[in-house]
Amino acid sequence: DQQVKQNSPSLSVQEGRISILNCDYTNSMFDYFLWYKKYPAEGPTFLISISSIKDKNEDGRFTVFLNKSAKHLSLHIVPSQPGDSAVYFCAASSGNTGKLIFGQGTTLQVKP
Amino acid sequence: NAGVTQTPKFRILKIGQSMTLQCAQDMNHNYMYWYRQDPGMGLKLIYYSVGAGITDKGEVPNGYNVSRSTTEDFPLRLELAAPSQTSVYFCASTPTAERLYGYTFGSGTRLTVV
């Protein structure tokens, strides 16, 4: 029973265009959502987060959108750069222990 | 700024052997976590700790044990290694349960059980 799902294993975009990574969840008790980026042979690094009381959060080229009625969030990267090529994980959390539940990840390839 | 340090980076174990994966952080973070990542899968929580002396199970605790005697260290013990424990293990920490700012992860330990 996967509570956080990333249904697209991979995505390829041209440099300069928009990358849109999607994530669906099933648990309506989740109150925080996060995106992490992972390069090979490294640990994940935190990218951006959003509280469930908001529907959008922006940080530079990265914007996360949350649609609670659809239980769906997305990460937009504009403009995409070759250095953005990595695996992106969405994660969700509820409660006060800081525990995260991760999706399976989406591999983004940005072509020059 | 060492952050979260995991040792070893790689290890091959034979079935039935035991080992301890080390995790240390120098940021005075109270909350620490152990995750495993299997190929094509997301990270799954094994154990976590909200402070020295306090630990609790995550989603996939079977076959593992932890201890947290100091704020800095959170070792993960594998007893009687099995092929199903072949995975990449990540340790992470965060100062509080405030989830807006994410974890700091270590670089991982790649374990193969043969």
Side-chain angles (χ1 to χ4, degrees):
Chain A
D1 177 27
Q2 192 134 10
Q3 297 186 66
V4 179
K5 292 183 182 179
Q6 295 174 257
N7 291 315
S8 298
S10 62
L11 175 67
S12 182
V13 300
Q14 287 296 130
E15 181 178 6
R17 306 296 290 266
I18 184 171
S19 295
I20 300 176
L21 296 98
N22 294 303
C23 181
D24 297 298
Y25 63 95
T26 57
N27 187 345
S28 58
M29 298 301 293
F30 289 142
D31 56 357
Y32 284 93
F33 302 89
L34 300 88
W35 285 93
Y36 284 82
K37 176 180 178 179
K38 185 183 179 305
Y39 293 119
E42 295 184 9
T45 54
F46 170 69
L47 200 53
I48 192 169
S49 65
I50 188 167
S51 162
S52 61
I53 63 173
K54 297 189 173 183
D55 54 19
K56 177 183 173 181
N57 189 27
E58 195 170 349
D59 183 1
R61 296 187 296 116
F62 302 92
T63 302
V64 56
F65 295 92
L66 176 62
N67 182 334
K68 282 185 291 183
S69 60
K71 294 192 175 66
H72 177 84
L73 66 154
S74 61
L75 175 68
H76 293 210
I77 307 173
V78 182
S80 301
Q81 299 172 353
D84 296 329
S85 297
V87 179
Y88 289 78
F89 292 98
C90 70
S93 177
S94 63
N96 61 358
T97 61
K99 295 187 294 183
L100 296 179
I101 296 177
F102 285 83
Q104 310 95 305
T106 297
T107 300
L108 173 65
Q109 182 183 27
V110 180
K111 297 180 179 178
Chain B
N1 287 347
V4 178
T5 302
Q6 290 186 240
T7 55
K9 293 193 182 303
F10 304 94
R11 181 74 184 268
I12 298 175
L13 274 184
K14 293 185 178 178
I15 294 172
Q17 287 185 320
S18 300
M19 76 165 292
T20 299
L21 283 67
Q22 301 291 346
C23 174
Q25 53 88 10
D26 61 356
M27 300 171 284
N28 201 33
H29 286 177
N30 285 321
Y31 292 73
M32 296 187 74
Y33 308 85
W34 274 105
Y35 285 86
R36 60 177 284 175
Q37 185 192 8
D38 299 328
M41 304 293 288
L43 286 75
K44 293 196 180 297
L45 182 64
I46 305 171
Y47 270 95
Y48 68 99
S49 170
V50 300
I54 307 169
T55 62
D56 205 349
K57 296 178 181 179
E59 294 176 80
V60 289
N62 291 345
Y64 307 94
N65 268 303
V66 293
S67 59
R68 183 99 183 268
S69 55
T70 67
T71 299
E72 294 77 20
D73 300 298
F74 190 39
L76 178 71
R77 178 82 178 161
L78 277 74
E79 305 282 1
L80 299 175
S84 61
Q85 294 177 305
T86 294
S87 190
V88 182
Y89 292 82
F90 291 101
C91 179
S93 72
T94 189
T96 70
E98 173 53 65
R99 290 148 290 161
L100 269 179
Y101 307 112
Y103 299 156
T104 300
F105 277 91
S107 57
T109 294
R110 183 176 293 275
L111 175 68
T112 303
V113 181
V114 296

